[in-house]
Amino acid sequence: MSEKIKEWPGVALKDADIKEKKVLFTEWRPNLKYAWDTGVGYGRYFEGLRNGRIVGTRCNKCHRVLLPARAFCEWCFRTVDEWVYLKDTGTVNTFSIAYTGTQAERLKEPRIPALIEIDGSNGVGIMHLLGEVDPKNVKNGMRVKAVWKPKEQRQGAITDIKYWKPFEEGTR
Amino acid sequence: MSMRKVAVVGAGMTKFMRRALETGKELAWEAGKMALDSCNLTVNDIDSVVIGTAPDAFDMVHMKSEYLTDGCGAWRKPAMRGFVGGGTGVFSVCQGWYHIASGLFDTCLIIGEEKMSSCVPHPQGAFVTCWDQFTESPLGASLLWFFAWEMNRYMTVHGITEREIALVSVKNKRNALDHPCAQLASEITVDDVLNSEVMAWPVKRLDVSPTSDGAAALVLASENVARRITDKPVWIEGVGWCLDTMYVGQRDLYYPKYVEVAARMAYDMAGITEPSKEIHIAEPYDPFDYKELHHIEGLLLCDKGEAPKLLADGYFNRDGNLPASPSGGLLGVGNAIAASGVMKAAELFWQLRGEAGKRQVPGKPKKGVAQAWGDEMQVGTVVVLGI
Amino acid sequence: MSPLDKITLVNQVQPWYGEIPVYGQYTFGVAGERFFREIKDNARIMGTVCNSCNLTYVPARLFCERCYNKLESWVDVGTKGRVHTYTVACLNLDGSRISEPIILAMVQIDGTCGGLVHQLGEVTPDKVKIGIPVEAVFKAKAQRTGSILDIKYFRPC
């Protein structure tokens, strides 16, 4: 069949067709604003961040730490058992040096998003950014520590941690 | 389980394009009409319709499968949309399969459609609300971060280089030169990939598939009906799908376990015990070059970490032992999300019937596997087709 | 003893605000391009005819949704129709009061199975009835851009 079709359907337009208005088009700018409730688990997690703590929950059936804190264990499908308070140190599991932003736009200065395994969580990672480090020197397995915003600037959000910086054991 | 045999009997698709003049409805109709014409059916012969299409924001049409119904031949018919993000295209084939295998319908028209050019400045922006609103989006997360992490982790665990991975892009874009619907077919080198603009290291411009407008369609039929329609039915021998945890920090990114689970489900159904020997041709999901290797491993077509070496040896070339993405894949033909998944199944249909023209793989392949991936990057959808 | 039982911080649990930072840019399509060009250039409303289903679609479409065949026969369907149904809109999209209520009608174009959603003008709500004949009033040619708003409104005729 595939080789019998002579003319495959589809009229490809060029950017210029839009820019120079060679074809008709219309635009719609949605005005969609959302207020997402953080809920039980995340609510406590963010309250913890406001206070400079990383909060998880533990399921005593599968013995996992759930991070960020969540109200139920999705493996055992039951309520979790307790809150756990974790250190603000961890290990880089994987990272990127990102030159593109949320709109696929080019960034002048790259950002370094990393998956950071939080100490005491048995290898559970959270998404965050690295700072105070030359991108060339970032390695998987690198030890990092949270750099917090000053307490009065915190708002109960993931951005209450500015970024994570490399650190050596035994230092602050 | 007593389930009926289901065959693919027709296929069609549009060109994949950066921006199409056609509306989404019109793209869907072009593909659907071609699929019906290919097996001499009319829309009146169709009992049920499955509409596959990715997040609504990509077409910037809310409830877009309802919007697409007329283009999908769904007028006054039982139609449904199942949705697993990027995995939707192949999942649509699974859905069509159970529509018929269950005995509920004798025929099903499956259409995958995407018109991503409607989403400006870039469909990336729509993902802002696909990330976790609380823990990820506020960091300015881009979808590329995630792919970069996965590629980094894959390279680190197995000691793989960017150079080895770039060969996938070279292969698929070259394969696409023979595909009449391809958007980004070209002859490039590994160095071209390595020297292309870094987007989110280790991901570079030429590691990535484009955003696309396009549609693809399949016609499915029950065994009795299929044998009346064609003397070359291609059977759907197995289907599988699986979702892993959506917490990115709670799965190891070096290996797509969810693809393995989905693949095992499909292979079990197909009676396949040694996929690496029994599968002759593969269409793994390749929105990024490393992703094809990742998925080949998840599909159990080789050992973990072994895919790059086999690739370098030509194993996955069109004339290799196990051709992978002979269509040109998403990297070459284009990434019209759900349409691309259906396109991959359509490619197997054409290849297994020996109708793939210049793309035909040698050796009369008998069994193929197509796979897609997506959702919150943790779904695997798999179909095994055979003659 | 689950954390669910220990939540005492309800007043501190706050929402996170966000939006989707994209907008839509839509081409009119193969049939739509021609349909809206005719409105823009010639103040004509066009339909496409399906001879097997005996239907004329307005706005013109590329294919028949019933028999799924391509529609290649274009016809000028005139500018007159009837009010199929209507409503008097008193609220804006944001829920605020519209100072001058808008009459929104589904206008079935004569001789077709289709119609256009549009405003009625030169008439007050109390004079509108289902079934009344109406005709399209176009903007001046220089002001037309290739949009459904190139028709100012439909008015009784």
Side-chain angles (χ1 to χ4, degrees):
Chain A
M1 173 65 203
S2 145
E3 82 272 34
K4 286 187 207 147
I5 298 280
K6 293 285 174 281
E7 198 55 48
W8 292 77
V11 180
L13 300 179
K14 299 188 177 70
D15 282 352
D17 293 329
I18 294 288
K19 282 204 190 92
E20 295 162 21
K21 303 207 170 172
K22 289 184 189 158
V23 294
L24 298 176
F25 63 93
T26 183
E27 292 186 343
W28 174 61
R29 291 181 185 263
N31 180 23
L32 301 171
K33 299 202 185 322
Y34 296 90
W36 296 289
D37 285 321
T38 49
V40 174
Y42 275 19
R44 182 74 173 259
Y45 177 67
F46 291 118
E47 196 50 37
L49 291 177
R50 189 204 295 275
N51 295 317
R53 291 200 298 196
I54 294 174
V55 183
T57 46
R58 192 190 317 276
C59 172
N60 285 342
K61 194 160 178 220
C62 63
H63 305 289
R64 280 193 312 157
V65 169
L66 306 182
L67 184 71
R70 303 203 280 282
F72 61 92
C73 172
E74 79 273 21
W75 285 11
C76 308
F77 220 55
R78 62 190 283 279
T79 313
V80 293
D81 296 283
E82 58 185 336
W83 301 102
V84 291
Y85 301 93
L86 298 155
K87 288 188 192 158
D88 64 349
T89 52
T91 305
V92 173
N93 171 283
T94 184
F95 68 95
S96 172
I97 303 163
Y99 289 87
T100 50
T102 48
Q103 302 277 10
E105 79 280 14
R106 195 82 192 152
L107 304 176
K108 279 209 186 93
E109 288 298 317
R111 310 180 79 202
I112 314 173
L115 191 57
I116 299 160
E117 294 178 4
I118 303 300
D119 288 349
S121 71
N122 265 335
V124 180
I126 66 165
M127 173 193 282
H128 221 288
L129 299 160
L130 302 185
E132 293 183 40
V133 60
D134 187 326
K136 288 196 291 286
N137 296 334
V138 180
K139 295 274 180 296
N140 290 333
M142 192 168 84
R143 299 280 295 146
V144 290
K145 176 170 174 54
V147 176
W148 296 84
K149 282 184 181 166
K151 186 152 190 193
E152 62 281 5
Q153 287 176 21
R154 292 183 209 147
Q155 50 171 336
I158 192 68
T159 45
D160 288 351
I161 297 175
K162 283 204 284 195
Y163 50 78
W164 298 64
K165 66 172 184 186
F167 92 113
E168 286 171 32
E169 308 296 337
T171 61
R172 280 299 300 174
Chain B
M1 287 186 287
S2 75
M3 287 185 288
R4 305 198 301 171
K5 281 181 78 171
V6 180
V8 184
V9 295
M13 69 182 288
T14 68
K15 290 176 196 156
F16 284 8
M17 301 154 274
R18 171 66 189 88
R19 183 192 296 272
L21 171 64
E22 285 84 355
T23 60
K25 287 167 185 269
E26 290 173 342
L27 289 170
W29 172 76
E30 292 280 12
K33 180 72 175 156
M34 185 192 288
L36 288 173
D37 287 349
S38 77
C39 51
N40 296 317
L41 295 186
T42 73
V43 77
N44 293 333
D45 300 313
I46 294 298
D47 296 343
S48 63
V49 174
V50 168
I51 303 170
T53 190
D56 287 352
F58 285 172
D59 286 40
M60 286 305 277
V61 175
H62 195 49
M63 312 224 303
K64 69 170 160 159
S65 67
E66 289 76 1
Y67 159 82
L68 288 170
T69 46
D70 55 334
C72 296
W75 181 72
R76 288 189 189 161
K77 288 190 197 303
M80 71 178 290
R81 172 196 193 177
F83 175 79
V84 282
T88 297
V90 170
F91 185 57
S92 299
V93 185
C94 302
Q95 284 179 280
W97 172 84
Y98 59 64
H99 273 29
I100 294 173
S102 64
L104 200 54
F105 304 108
D106 274 324
T107 53
C108 182
L109 177 61
I110 296 170
I111 298 193
E113 178 278 349
E114 225 64 66
K115 189 161 160 91
M116 299 171 74
S117 63
S118 301
C119 188
V120 286
H122 196 280
Q124 276 281 327
F127 276 101
V128 167
T129 49
C130 295
W131 289 107
D132 188 292
Q133 308 93 322
F134 312 111
T135 61
E136 296 168 350
S137 289
L139 297 168
S142 146
L143 204 59
L144 278 170
W145 292 10
F146 175 83
F147 305 124
W149 284 357
E150 219 176 47
M151 181 166 163
N152 182 354
R153 185 90 189 124
Y154 179 55
M155 294 195 307
T156 302
V157 168
H158 296 302
I160 296 165
T161 63
E162 291 172 62
R163 178 169 285 277
E164 290 174 281
I165 289 173
L167 198 52
V168 174
S169 201
V170 174
K171 168 178 73 73
N172 290 6
K173 286 178 192 292
R174 182 189 298 137
N175 282 351
L177 287 168
D178 295 325
H179 201 303
C181 298
Q183 181 181 346
L184 277 190
S186 57
E187 191 73 56
I188 59 167
T189 65
V190 164
D191 285 320
D192 290 337
V193 179
L194 295 177
N195 295 330
S196 63
E197 179 186 52
V198 177
M199 299 174 80
W201 181 89
V203 173
K204 300 162 293 298
R205 177 73 61 187
L206 290 177
D207 291 315
V208 186
S209 60
T211 61
S212 308
D213 291 356
L218 294 175
V219 181
L220 307 190
S222 62
E223 182 173 12
N224 287 344
V225 173
R227 292 200 192 280
R228 289 207 299 273
I229 295 170
T230 176
D231 52 8
K232 288 200 290 185
V234 173
W235 304 104
I236 299 180
E237 300 188 345
V239 300
W241 64 97
C242 168
L243 283 98
D244 203 339
T245 174
M246 62 80 64
Y247 294 96
V248 61
Q250 249 160 12
R251 54 181 200 268
D252 197 326
L253 300 177
Y254 90 101
Y255 181 72
K257 181 72 183 175
Y258 42 91
V259 170
E260 182 191 321
V261 176
R264 284 188 189 281
M265 175 176 163
Y267 292 148
D268 281 352
M269 197 180 293
I272 290 174
T273 51
E274 286 187 277
S276 60
K277 293 194 180 125
E278 295 174 63
I279 295 289
H280 304 141
I281 174 171
E283 279 285 344
Y285 206 58
D286 62 325
F288 293 78
D289 45 12
Y290 81 92
K291 233 23 222 172
E292 172 159 315
L293 303 172
H294 221 217
H295 290 149
I296 283 172
E297 293 173 16
L299 289 167
L300 308 171
L301 300 176
C302 69
D303 289 340
K304 291 180 190 175
E306 195 196 7
K309 191 143 53 67
L310 292 172
L311 173 72
D313 293 343
Y315 192 83
F316 300 124
N317 289 350
R318 202 179 271 152
D319 57 359
N321 276 21
L322 179 52
S325 296
S327 64
L330 280 60
L331 287 161
V333 182
N335 187 359
I337 318 278
S340 293
V342 176
M343 177 278 283
K344 285 193 164 272
E347 180 69 10
L348 292 184
F349 171 74
W350 287 319
Q351 291 282 357
L352 295 175
R353 280 164 59 117
E355 296 175 350
K358 284 197 280 182
R359 302 189 307 285
Q360 186 63 49
V361 307
K364 295 194 168 62
K366 298 253 179 311
K367 266 191 206 336
V369 62
Q371 173 260 334
W373 161 83
D375 250 354
E376 299 278 0
M377 319 321 137
Q378 45 37 305
V379 70
T381 52
V382 177
V383 291
V384 175
L385 301 188
I387 52 171
Chain C
M1 187 185 70
S2 94
L4 288 176
D5 305 327
K6 297 201 291 184
I7 284 285
T8 55
L9 299 166
V10 174
N11 59 338
Q12 292 172 348
V13 174
Q14 57 181 13
W16 182 263
Y17 297 92
E19 56 190 319
I20 304 182
V22 289
Y23 64 97
Q25 192 179 66
Y26 312 92
T27 53
F28 286 69
V30 173
E33 180 76 17
R34 181 161 169 193
F35 176 78
F36 283 100
R37 289 250 176 234
E38 287 283 358
I39 287 182
K40 178 176 186 277
D41 298 340
N42 305 317
R44 289 203 297 187
I45 299 173
M46 302 295 287
T48 45
V49 182
C50 178
N51 289 318
S52 47
C53 298
N54 203 19
L55 296 170
T56 300
Y57 288 104
V58 176
R61 302 186 200 172
L62 180 62
F63 57 92
C64 173
E65 70 175 4
R66 301 196 182 188
C67 69
Y68 216 51
N69 288 318
K70 187 167 190 176
L71 302 179
E72 292 174 294
S73 163
W74 285 68
V75 287
D76 178 349
V77 295
T79 59
K80 293 192 165 74
R82 281 171 194 280
V83 171
H84 181 71
T85 187
Y86 72 99
T87 180
V88 181
C90 302
L91 299 179
N92 285 309
L93 282 176
D94 63 1
S96 61
R97 217 64 208 164
I98 300 180
S99 51
E100 198 72 27
I102 296 168
I103 310 167
L104 285 166
M106 174 73 210
V107 177
Q108 179 142 32
I109 303 296
D110 291 344
T112 77
C113 71
L116 299 174
V117 177
H118 223 294
Q119 293 189 24
L120 300 187
E122 301 180 31
V123 63
T124 51
D126 57 304
K127 299 283 192 304
V128 181
K129 298 272 180 301
I130 283 179
I132 62 167
V134 290
E135 65 179 354
V137 177
F138 289 84
K139 287 182 182 167
K141 184 163 185 180
Q143 289 166 18
R144 296 201 294 261
T145 59
S147 153
I148 194 66
L149 301 178
D150 289 351
I151 298 172
K152 273 204 293 206
Y153 47 73
F154 282 79
R155 70 179 173 202
C157 64

